């Protein structure tokens, strides 16, 4: 089992075995994704395929396209009303 120690400043050194397995090098940004009662450490990549499953588990239930459209329309309408009030 690979371990690391947290410093008083909240920093850790990622062990070589983990860096190698994740393909990490200096300057790579990492994301910490909540997964029930733990976190997954994921390197941020710049390719679309690497995003697959990235947000899995972040919402309690999937959102339908109709719900997304409704949310976008609602926000757009509220911004339009606010903009008209500012212009008045």
């Amino acid at each position: 089992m690979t371990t690391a120690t947290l410093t008083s400043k909240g920093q850790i050194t990622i062990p070589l075995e983990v860096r190698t397995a994740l393909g990490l090098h200096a300057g790579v940004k990492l994301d910490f994704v909540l997964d029930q009662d733990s976190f997954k450490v994921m390197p941020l990549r710049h390719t679309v395929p690497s995003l697959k499953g990235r947000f899995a588990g972040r919402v309690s239930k999937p959102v339908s396209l109709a719900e997304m459209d409704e949310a976008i329309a609602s926000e757009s309408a509220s911004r339009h009303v606010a903009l008209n009030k500012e212009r008045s």
Side-chain angles (χ1 to χ4, degrees):
M1 181 171 176
T2 305
T3 63
T5 302
L6 184 68
T7 69
S8 62
K9 293 183 178 183
Q11 300 171 339
I12 62 169
T13 298
I14 300 171
L16 178 61
E17 179 182 334
V18 176
R19 293 192 314 261
T20 302
L22 293 175
L24 302 179
H25 54 82
V28 170
K29 293 187 183 284
L30 301 173
D31 192 19
F32 297 84
V33 180
L34 182 61
D35 183 21
Q36 296 177 5
D37 61 345
S38 63
F39 282 87
K40 292 181 183 178
V41 178
M42 303 179 70
L44 296 178
R45 308 236 188 256
H46 300 289
T47 62
V48 173
S50 70
L51 297 176
K52 182 178 180 183
R54 176 120 164 68
F55 300 104
R58 289 195 178 190
V59 294
S60 57
K61 68 174 188 132
V63 179
S64 70
L65 290 176
E67 290 171 314
M68 283 189 247
D69 288 342
E70 183 179 323
I72 293 167
S74 175
E75 180 64 21
S76 177
S78 66
R79 289 182 183 195
H80 182 72
V81 168
L83 183 61
N84 284 340
K85 284 183 181 180
E86 286 178 12
R87 289 182 179 168
S88 300

